Amino acid sequence: MFTKLLIANRGEIAIRIIRACRELGVRTVAVYSDADAQAPHVRAADEAVNIGPAPSTQSYLLGERIIEVAKRTGAQAIHPGYGFLSEREWFSRAVREAGLVFVGPPPEAIAALGSKTAARQLAIAAGVPVVPGTTEGLRDAAEAEAIAERYGYPVLLKAAAGGGGKGMRVVRAPSEMAGALDAARREAQNAFGDDTVYVEKYIVGPRHVEIQVIADTHGTVLSLGERECSVQRRHQKMIEEAPSVAVSPALRKRMGETAVAAARAAGYVNAGTCEFLLDQEGNFYFLEMNTRLQVEHPVTELVTGIDIVQWQIRIAAGEKLPFPADLTPRGWAIECRITSEDPSNGFLPSAGRIEYLHVPTGPGVRWDGGIETGSTVGLHYDPMLAKLIVWAATRDDAIARMHRALRELTVVGIETSREFHLRVLEDEEFRRGAIEIQWLERRLPSLVGAAAPESQVTLAAVAAALLADRDRGMRRAAPVNGSGTQAPATTPWELAARRDALRP
Ligand code: ADP
């Protein structure tokens, strides 16, 4: 095992990796930008090194500088987390060439799977079903129209270098094609420096179901089962769960084998995720393979009992995977992404100082966070502040538990996605599991416009009155919902937490 590891990331994922290291007895080096000098991940590590100004292009994306820091501090390995440098082929290669270990796949596997078009070609060659579409970039709108004619509208234009839903455009008629292609190209060029765009058939009403794979350097490639990630806004995941209501043991086995075949074809090592669309008939189509740790990995950890981050590090150190090929998930896990966005205001990013944070605890609750009371949330980085994850025996129990945990969560000073999550968990369709990737966009207006349930309103009014008294002179003292009233706080516990928060 390594004696020291550098974490090339920030926020909740840096802390998650530091925790794994501590349990493995590995010392840690954090890196940070000027904006993060006071951040919790800096204090959580054994050592921390400033790598530059706030913009990530001058700090967290400076691979060469980070490798220098690793060498100088005596770290033997670098964990990139997700985002930033995690899926850069050149970084994986540069780490290796510097004589260090990259905690992730080899550069060859990232290259094989990095572009969506290359990954589609590889999948097709490995016999993995892909969404009908092209495997090469488009020349012009005329070519795109001819292809769309063949598959039938709607189609989806996608950036080959895409990620985070960027460079993606749904096209419903030939007249929209030229404009959509221009827009997708421009967005792709800005985000990825590559304007290659290709076409896929737009599948209506599928679920996003992904398979976590894990592979060691001794030839073992395993599926750790599925995650359901259909609750999405603008192609971005908001809530994830494991397992999926739509996946039977037989389907789990087939999807798992398919994901393992794709990983093997790419010479994959370490943790990775094969993303699929699952249609209403139970057909599944490969979308892409994410060659890194996913944000939503905790739900798989909770239903398998496998610490994926620890195993990433063990695999990088040469250890062999000891798990059986057929893992059956135990119980149900759900994750809500807590972001600094205002659901009642079009998910506008919110910035400011967290005056008070009360983190939920109790049975079956896990908080993977990167914030604390006093943290400043700026606009330089991703708005995801933390993940609230619960485990329970059944899906219904997990929903009830998540609802309870969200009600305990108190963030004072900035807007968060908390209210949004509460409304989704109260939604009858969500509770039935009747979700697919377009569900949230359809449902959102009624969810964020909805008033708090009747029973909570009176107590909310009491809370508001209580707070109004203590609130005078304080800027943005408590979470506020769409109608501008105090968010429902229904238990004495919640009220106490909020009152405490307002004590000078
Ligand atoms: P990115 O890498 O930008 O996240 P993905 O290929 O993973 O792009 O797709 C993101 C999301 O967009 C998917 O989870 C799904 O909701 C939607 N999507 C992608 N491809 C299709 C398709 N062919 N038909 C319908 N929806 C799609």
Side-chain angles (χ1 to χ4, degrees):
M1 184 44 67
F2 312 112
T3 55
K4 203 188 259 190
L5 180 147
L6 180 144
I7 298 106
N9 216 302
R10 62 180 300 283
E12 72 86 18
I13 199 61
I15 291 176
R16 169 70 189 93
I17 297 163
I18 291 167
R19 285 178 166 146
C21 287
R22 196 141 285 159
E23 289 175 20
L24 290 168
V26 177
R27 292 180 62 77
T28 52
V29 182
V31 293
Y32 64 95
S33 71
D34 293 346
D36 278 339
Q38 307 297 324
H41 85 270
V42 173
R43 274 173 288 119
D46 295 307
E47 295 169 55
V49 179
N50 180 304
I51 48 166
S56 49
T57 49
Q58 296 170 49
S59 51
Y60 295 107
L61 286 171
L62 291 180
E64 293 298 345
R65 184 172 300 172
I66 289 170
I67 291 170
E68 272 314 305
V69 171
K71 293 209 314 216
R72 184 149 46 81
T73 53
Q76 298 119 342
I78 298 182
H79 195 311
Y82 51 69
F84 294 132
L85 296 163
S86 60
E87 293 183 284
R88 308 284 167 108
E89 174 197 351
W90 70 265
F91 185 64
S92 170
R93 178 167 287 116
V95 171
R96 185 166 75 186
E97 282 169 2
L100 305 172
V101 180
F102 181 72
V103 183
E108 295 77 12
I110 299 178
L113 297 163
S115 112
K116 290 189 202 287
T117 43
R120 283 168 64 80
Q121 290 166 20
L122 178 138
I124 292 166
V128 171
V130 300
V131 182
T134 57
T135 52
E136 312 245 325
L138 291 163
R139 278 193 311 274
D140 51 30
E143 187 194 10
E145 278 177 46
I147 294 166
E149 221 45 70
R150 213 160 61 237
Y151 295 116
Y153 287 90
V155 295
L156 189 61
L157 298 177
K158 278 174 121 172
K166 292 206 183 77
M168 232 190 270
R169 285 289 183 287
V170 183
V171 184
R172 299 184 189 277
S175 60
E176 296 171 13
M177 186 62 86
L181 183 59
D182 272 352
R185 280 210 166 127
R186 230 177 306 116
E187 200 170 302
Q189 180 64 39
N190 285 338
F192 316 110
D194 173 356
D195 73 352
T196 311
V197 168
Y198 72 101
V199 190
E200 272 179 21
K201 171 92 189 123
Y202 185 66
I203 314 265
V204 178
R207 289 167 184 268
H208 174 118
V209 176
E210 60 186 29
I211 300 282
Q212 174 73 57
V213 295
I214 193 157
D216 65 18
T217 52
H218 307 275
T220 299
V221 186
L222 294 176
S223 159
L224 299 186
E226 83 279 8
R227 290 186 287 258
E228 160 83 65
C229 311
S230 296
V231 180
Q232 300 185 353
R233 183 178 165 268
R234 302 205 170 149
H235 308 296
Q236 300 244 43
K237 300 162 190 166
M238 303 290 289
I239 298 178
E240 301 97 343
E241 45 186 306
S244 162
V245 291
V247 176
S248 65
L251 182 56
R252 177 172 304 126
K253 188 158 185 291
R254 269 199 296 136
M255 293 184 83
E257 286 166 359
T258 306
V260 166
R264 277 198 191 284
Y268 204 80
V269 176
N270 216 287
T273 296
C274 231
E275 297 191 325
F276 296 100
L277 291 179
L278 175 65
D279 75 14
Q280 288 154 356
E281 281 76 53
N283 305 305
F284 59 87
Y285 307 96
F286 172 86
L287 270 184
E288 64 167 341
M289 182 141 173
N290 288 324
T291 58
R292 54 166 161 83
L293 183 65
Q294 300 271 101
V295 170
E296 59 272 24
H297 75 275
V299 291
T300 302
E301 295 189 320
L302 294 182
V303 295
T304 61
I306 294 173
D307 188 313
I308 294 171
V309 181
Q310 279 195 20
W311 274 100
Q312 285 196 289
I313 298 166
R314 288 176 182 273
I315 287 168
E319 284 189 35
K320 263 183 136 149
L321 284 167
F323 311 113
D326 262 329
L327 280 160
T328 308
R330 188 179 150 269
W332 214 278
I334 303 180
E335 170 180 285
C336 289
R337 298 187 183 201
I338 308 300
T339 63
S340 51
E341 293 172 314
D342 183 0
S344 64
N345 201 359
F347 287 85
L348 209 68
S350 170
R353 182 171 185 273
I354 298 178
E355 305 292 348
Y356 178 76
L357 173 69
H358 174 80
V359 169
T361 49
V365 175
R366 167 170 164 181
W367 173 264
D368 278 21
I371 49 165
E372 61 191 0
T373 297
S375 289
T376 302
V377 177
L379 298 172
H380 284 292
Y381 310 114
D382 194 272
M384 204 189 68
L385 306 175
K387 297 156 355 195
L388 180 57
I389 313 119
V390 302
W391 182 91
T394 66
R395 186 168 187 269
D396 286 348
D397 293 345
I399 290 172
R401 183 162 275 173
M402 178 62 89
H403 195 266
R404 182 273 288 175
L406 281 164
R407 284 176 58 190
E408 285 178 29
L409 171 65
T410 309
V411 187
V412 179
I414 56 163
E415 303 296 334
T416 73
S417 53
R418 172 182 176 270
E419 289 298 316
F420 159 80
H421 289 299
L422 281 167
R423 296 296 90 79
V424 173
L425 290 160
E426 287 155 10
D427 184 83
E428 188 266 330
E429 289 180 358
F430 176 81
R431 295 172 81 97
R432 270 194 285 124
I435 46 175
E436 37 83 13
I437 58 173
Q438 286 116 22
W439 173 80
L440 182 60
E441 297 283 355
R442 219 176 35 243
R443 202 75 174 161
L444 201 54
S446 63
L447 285 174
V448 296
E454 207 50 56
S455 62
Q456 299 191 1
V457 171
T458 16
L459 279 159
V462 176
L466 256 172
L467 283 164
D469 202 34
R470 307 191 171 244
D471 199 12
R472 264 168 221 130
M474 275 195 75
R475 183 185 53 84
R476 264 287 129 91
V480 163
N481 70 18
S483 49
T485 54
Q486 175 64 37
T490 58
T491 63
W493 186 0
E494 281 175 289
L495 293 179
R498 289 182 185 180
R499 278 200 307 274
D500 286 348
L502 299 175
R503 260 178 211 135

